[in-house]
């Protein structure tokens, strides 16, 4: 007998007991007996809903944990390698333009931009790279 069948059998027994008590006690107790039975049904429904919600939340937390650990299709090694190559190729003309127009300050500005873009890309493709990993220890799984 499955778990659901056992609960159905228990609920049927409760209904039979309620009907038997109604026969023995008479109509004056009918309202109280029905209320008592409905309360038991409500408790069963609440318990089933609570179990389903807990199971769904646990599944969502597991999926979120899996998604945060594995890089997506857009974060492949090829994309990262390509981004690095493009950055280096563009660094040459940007350095020449920045250095030719504004000398050392222009060169430093061009390289600050190149480094900044690469840092943002690295942070996007490697969550936790810059110390965010320490805060993930307090994920709420201990509760």
């Amino acid at each position: 007998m499955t778990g659901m069948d056992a609960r159905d059998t228990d609920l049927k027994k409760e209904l039979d007991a309620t009907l038997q008590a109604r026969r023995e006690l008479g109509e004056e107790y009918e309202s109280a007996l029905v209320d008592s039975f409905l309360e038991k049904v409500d408790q069963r429904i609440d318990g089933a809903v609570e179990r389903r919600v807990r199971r769904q939340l646990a599944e969502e937390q597991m999926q979120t944990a899996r998604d945060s650990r594995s890089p997506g299709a857009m974060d492949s090694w090829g994309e990262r390698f390509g981004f690095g190559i493009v950055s280096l190729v563009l660094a040459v003309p940007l350095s020449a333009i920045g250095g030719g127009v504004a000398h050392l300050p222009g060169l430093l500005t061009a390289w600050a931009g190149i480094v900044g873009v690469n840092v943002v890309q690295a942070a996007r493709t490697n969550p936790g790279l810059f110390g965010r990993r320490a805060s993930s220890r307090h994920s709420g799984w201990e509760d």
Side-chain angles (χ1 to χ4, degrees), residues 85-140:
I85 295 295
V86 169
S87 292
L88 289 175
V89 168
L90 291 176
V92 173
L94 288 174
S95 297
I97 293 169
V101 172
H103 305 289
L104 184 59
L107 183 64
L108 293 176
T109 301
W111 274 96
I114 293 166
V115 169
V117 166
N118 280 279
V119 165
V120 168
Q121 175 69 5
R124 187 183 74 80
T125 58
N126 299 303
L129 182 66
F130 297 106
R132 282 184 259 155
R133 195 173 289 162
S135 65
S136 69
R137 285 187 298 216
H138 304 291
S139 64

Side-chain angles (χ1 to χ4, degrees), residues 45-65:
I45 291 171
D46 289 346
V49 169
E50 185 177 330
R51 283 189 300 276
R52 286 181 186 161
V53 167
R54 271 191 268 134
R55 184 173 40 241
Q56 181 67 29
L57 286 174
E59 288 172 4
E60 288 175 10
Q61 287 175 340
M62 292 293 289
Q63 187 62 43
T64 300

Side-chain angles (χ1 to χ4, degrees), residues 11-78:
L11 199 55
K12 186 177 180 327
K13 287 179 184 177
E14 289 288 338
L15 179 59
D16 289 342
T18 300
L19 293 173
Q20 180 63 33
R22 193 248 178 224
R23 278 192 230 62
E24 291 174 7
L25 297 174
E27 288 184 25
E28 58 271 4
Y29 291 101
E30 185 173 312
S31 178
L33 291 169
V34 169
D35 287 345
S36 173
F37 178 75
L38 290 177
E39 180 65 31
K40 291 174 185 174
V41 171
D42 281 345
Q43 289 172 356
R44 300 240 177 177
I45 291 171
D46 289 346
V49 169
E50 185 177 330
R51 283 189 300 276
R52 286 181 186 161
V53 167
R54 271 191 268 134
R55 184 173 40 241
Q56 181 67 29
L57 286 174
E59 288 172 4
E60 288 175 10
Q61 287 175 340
M62 292 293 289
Q63 187 62 43
T64 300
R66 276 189 222 115
D67 290 346
S68 69
R69 276 188 253 134
S70 62
M74 296 299 294
D75 299 333
S76 68
W77 181 86

